Amino acid sequence: METQFAHRPDNNYREGVISNQPVNDSAVAWCAVFAGAVASAALSLILLLLGTGFGLTLVSPWSSEGISSTSFGVSSIVGITLISLAASALGGYLAGRLRTRWLNTHIDEVYFRDTAHGFLSWAVATLGTAALLTSVIGGIMGSGVKAGAAIAGGAATAASGVAASGTAAALMADNSEGNTALTYMLDSLLRKDTASAAADNSQQQPVASENPVDGELATEPAPAPAPAPAPAPAPQVNDNTSRMQSDAPKAELMRIFVHGISTDSLPQNDVTYAGQLVAEATGIDQQTAEKRVADSFTMLREKLDEAETTALAAADKAREVSAYTSLWLFISLLSGAFVASLMAVYGGRQRDL
């Protein structure tokens, strides 16, 4: 079968030049499309690494050095947009320049096909990059939603969760990871009064007596108490058992506070009983112990409310960042599609000269 050849039309080809290329019936040159997509993806990767290197030189963990977070965000958006435009322009130009000639095709149809080649090159490069970076894109797009959902679901149980973790940590060793604000508060709640402790540990004062010779007062030491009988040997107690017994009041106070936080109030009978535990452990009077319990519970509620407010503010900040990032990525990708189509038309015209 003889291969068909055709002359180049006057409105598409140079005058007097005969094309030696076979007639191509396909409207899409997929080889050119994939070539442009691969070149676009490779250039995106190179420019992204370059931009990351420059970005890391602009930031610093020291507060007095580096640019602000706002400036860093704006420069990142501008950099990503420029990378998208440059890579899309290269891919579109190659897709238009490397496609085969369409013989006996109207000039408007040629422009449309070149535009489609640029768009297809951009689409293949975008989908390929998204397939390789699914986790990154998913993290950017879903960080705000995930953070908001996590905070919304955990805000109702934040107090009970913190208290429950503190309950388990109170029965653990001192070198554990349970040194939370709640355990520290319970430790301070069970601290002994320094004044009463000093009074209990004070030494006996010497007794003053009159000297029968000169009538002066002489200071004599107090008679030593009679030696107590030797105590019976104490039974051997396991260290873990003694530690559990010493932490029993703290664990009981922990459960009382957990129940009070979950019900949003601390009943008076719980305050009275907790005051008894504190009074027995510290040696202070019942009224002072109850006041210390009430003040500690109020302080704990304030800290939990503060932590919840901070968590909600962080979730809202993450939501705003995710929203702005999504919008700017959309604008960047849309601009890349337009530039790729435009450069494919330019590359196609260069191909047909």
Side-chain angles (χ1 to χ4, degrees):
M1 181 177 180
E2 186 177 1
T3 305
Q4 297 180 358
F5 294 93
H7 291 277
R8 189 172 188 176
D10 294 338
N11 58 349
N12 263 352
Y13 304 102
R14 297 175 182 174
E15 296 182 359
V17 178
I18 300 177
S19 174
N20 293 324
Q21 181 179 0
V23 176
N24 184 13
D25 295 332
S26 177
V28 179
W30 286 106
C31 294
V33 169
F34 282 106
V38 170
S40 176
L43 184 60
S44 298
L45 178 60
I46 294 174
L47 294 180
L48 183 61
L49 293 176
L50 180 62
T52 303
F54 277 118
L56 291 177
T57 60
L58 297 178
V59 297
S60 175
W62 305 104
S63 58
S64 59
E65 299 180 4
I67 61 176
S68 62
S69 58
T70 303
S71 301
F72 181 75
V74 173
S75 60
S76 299
I77 291 172
V78 173
I80 291 175
T81 304
L82 293 179
I83 290 173
S84 177
L85 294 178
S88 300
L90 177 63
Y93 178 81
L94 291 179
R97 187 64 183 268
L98 297 178
R99 55 92 174 160
T100 57
R101 290 179 178 177
W102 294 300
L103 302 176
N104 300 325
T105 304
H106 195 272
I107 186 65
D108 294 337
E109 180 67 17
V110 173
Y111 286 157
F112 174 79
R113 291 182 182 182
D114 286 336
T115 303
H117 274 67
F119 181 80
L120 289 175
S121 174
W122 167 85
V124 172
T126 302
L127 292 177
T129 305
L132 295 176
L133 303 177
T134 302
S135 59
V136 177
I137 296 178
I140 294 175
M141 300 293 292
S143 60
V145 178
K146 292 178 181 178
I151 295 302
T157 59
S160 60
V162 172
S165 63
T167 304
L171 303 178
M172 297 170 65
D174 293 337
N175 58 355
S176 64
E177 297 179 358
N179 295 324
T180 60
L182 183 55
T183 55
Y184 176 78
M185 184 203 66
L186 291 177
D187 291 336
S188 62
L189 185 64
L190 296 176
R191 289 175 183 170
K192 293 185 178 181
D193 191 6
T194 56
S196 60
D200 294 339
N201 296 330
S202 60
Q203 298 179 354
Q204 288 185 331
Q205 299 294 330
V207 179
S209 60
E210 184 177 358
N211 193 338
V213 178
D214 53 7
E216 296 180 355
L217 293 178
T219 302
E220 296 180 358
Q236 297 292 332
V237 181
N238 192 2
D239 292 339
N240 294 332
T241 304
S242 61
R243 184 176 300 172
M244 292 290 291
Q245 292 176 355
S246 62
D247 288 339
K250 185 187 297 184
E252 194 167 4
L253 287 173
M254 185 87 71
R255 290 189 292 270
I256 293 175
F257 275 35
V258 169
H259 180 268
I261 292 171
S262 61
T263 58
D264 202 18
S265 65
L266 192 63
Q268 182 60 36
N269 57 346
D270 287 344
V271 174
T272 302
Y273 181 72
Q276 294 177 0
L277 295 177
V278 174
E280 293 176 0
T282 59
I284 60 178
D285 59 280
Q286 179 68 20
Q287 185 177 1
T288 306
E290 291 182 5
K291 184 178 182 303
R292 181 183 292 188
V293 170
D295 293 343
S296 299
F297 182 77
T298 303
M299 185 184 303
L300 178 61
R301 287 297 309 275
E302 291 177 355
K303 288 185 177 181
L304 290 177
D305 293 340
E306 213 174 295
E308 183 179 353
T309 302
T310 304
L312 291 175
D316 187 67
K317 183 68 174 179
R319 179 193 59 82
E320 292 181 359
V321 171
S322 298
Y324 287 131
T325 303
S326 301
L327 292 176
W328 279 108
L329 283 177
F330 169 77
I331 295 174
S332 176
L333 293 175
L334 190 63
S335 302
F338 175 78
V339 171
S341 302
L342 182 63
M343 292 302 296
V345 172
Y346 177 74
R349 294 185 64 182
Q350 293 292 320
R351 170 70 177 83
D352 292 338
L353 290 179

